[in-house]
Amino acid sequence: MRVEIWSDIACPWCYVGKARFEKALAAFPHRDQVEVVHRSFELDPGRAKGDVQPVITMLTKKYGMSQAQARAGEENLGAQAAAEGLDYRTEGRDHGNTFDLHRLLHLAKEHGRQDELIQILYRANFAEERSLFTEGDERLVELAVEAGLDADTVRAVLADPTAYADDVRADAREAARLGANGVPFFVLDRTYGVSGAQPAEVFTQALTQAWGDRSPLKLIDDGGAEACGPDGCAVPQN
């Protein structure tokens, strides 16, 4: 079974939702037969690469909140994260363009290191004092190497703005086709969708239902046409 997760590194509920989903997956009896794929979704695709703001400032401008409301929201998110065993800095974080992060996640997918990289990027964005957006490409190289990627390969991708760009945009189009207008958005075997950072119990129910509803392969014709198998190939007899 395949689970696709549309998310953005700048999305705190994606950070929390991933932990809740993984709690459910860890207890799922068929977890070794579940493939998890992370898909790209930019919450702020129009933001220029160099446009970095404090999170509180971004929240007040984008959602019309007061600073007190924005800070209260961050405190609530910090408590939700802590309940899942996650570190979360409620003050001093910043917000920027995540397109390059998504491009690197597609690179990591090719090398089987996608889950490692997304968790490291979440940690860097939500738990660490160093900015993910103001220290330049070498900060991203450092984090990608920690995830197991080759430094020179990462630098080459970051230096080429077209590398994996089509993959990021294709994920966004697919999210729209599936009806996702926010993240996190979980799709199980392209049959069931779960929107938001639901409790682990909801993910357990979704995994169980999706697994149970998998349909066996329906043969259009099993009338004995020639085929090859473990014992060799059938040879027509005259």
Side-chain angles (χ1 to χ4, degrees):
M1 184 167 71
R2 170 180 280 199
V3 178
E4 297 163 278
I5 307 174
W6 271 264
S7 58
D8 192 2
I9 299 301
C11 166
W13 287 118
C14 296
Y15 180 45
V16 172
K18 181 176 186 291
R20 292 175 177 172
F21 169 77
E22 288 176 346
K23 184 182 293 184
L25 183 61
F28 186 57
H30 310 288
R31 61 187 178 278
D32 293 339
Q33 299 176 63
V34 177
E35 176 193 13
V36 178
V37 178
H38 297 282
R39 301 291 190 191
S40 298
F41 190 107
E42 292 179 276
L43 287 173
D44 203 355
R47 181 175 290 271
K49 183 175 179 178
D51 183 5
V52 180
Q53 287 181 307
V55 166
I56 298 299
T57 302
M58 180 274 294
L59 291 172
T60 59
K61 291 184 176 180
K62 186 171 183 178
Y63 300 107
M65 296 179 174
S66 68
Q67 286 214 355
Q69 289 172 322
R71 292 185 190 282
E74 283 296 287
E75 290 293 336
N76 175 56
L77 279 162
Q80 298 275 354
E84 305 302 330
L86 301 172
D87 293 328
Y88 189 99
R89 296 179 66 235
T90 59
E91 295 183 3
R93 293 193 304 107
D94 55 19
H95 175 81
N97 180 283
T98 58
F99 192 68
D100 282 349
L101 307 182
H102 287 295
R103 295 197 300 120
L104 291 182
L105 285 167
H106 279 279
L107 168 68
K109 180 176 180 290
E110 284 191 355
H111 293 271
R113 309 301 295 176
Q114 192 184 41
D115 194 69
E116 289 82 359
L117 180 58
I118 198 168
Q119 194 60 37
I120 287 168
L121 293 176
Y122 277 142
R123 183 201 73 205
N125 188 44
F126 292 108
E128 296 183 354
E129 291 188 12
R130 294 176 63 190
S131 172
L132 197 58
F133 303 106
T134 62
E135 294 193 22
D137 287 352
E138 281 306 302
R139 170 67 167 148
L140 302 186
V141 172
E142 172 190 325
L143 295 169
V145 168
E146 183 182 342
L149 298 177
D150 175 73
D152 289 339
T153 302
V154 174
R155 289 189 185 99
V157 168
L158 292 172
D160 178 3
T162 68
Y164 301 99
D166 288 345
D167 300 275
V168 176
R169 295 184 180 112
D171 278 356
R173 289 193 300 270
E174 187 67 1
R177 189 186 73 79
L178 292 170
N181 53 18
V183 286
F185 188 69
F186 302 76
V187 177
L188 291 76
D189 261 358
R190 290 297 171 107
T191 303
Y192 294 96
V194 178
S195 179
Q198 299 285 349
E201 294 78 11
V202 174
F203 290 119
T204 297
Q205 179 183 353
L207 287 165
T208 301
Q209 188 166 346
W211 184 268
D213 286 355
R214 292 180 309 145
S215 299
L217 186 68
K218 295 179 176 64
L219 292 176
I220 293 175
D221 183 2
D222 60 353
E226 290 82 2
C228 294
D231 297 324
C233 300
V235 179
Q237 300 296 319
N238 294 328

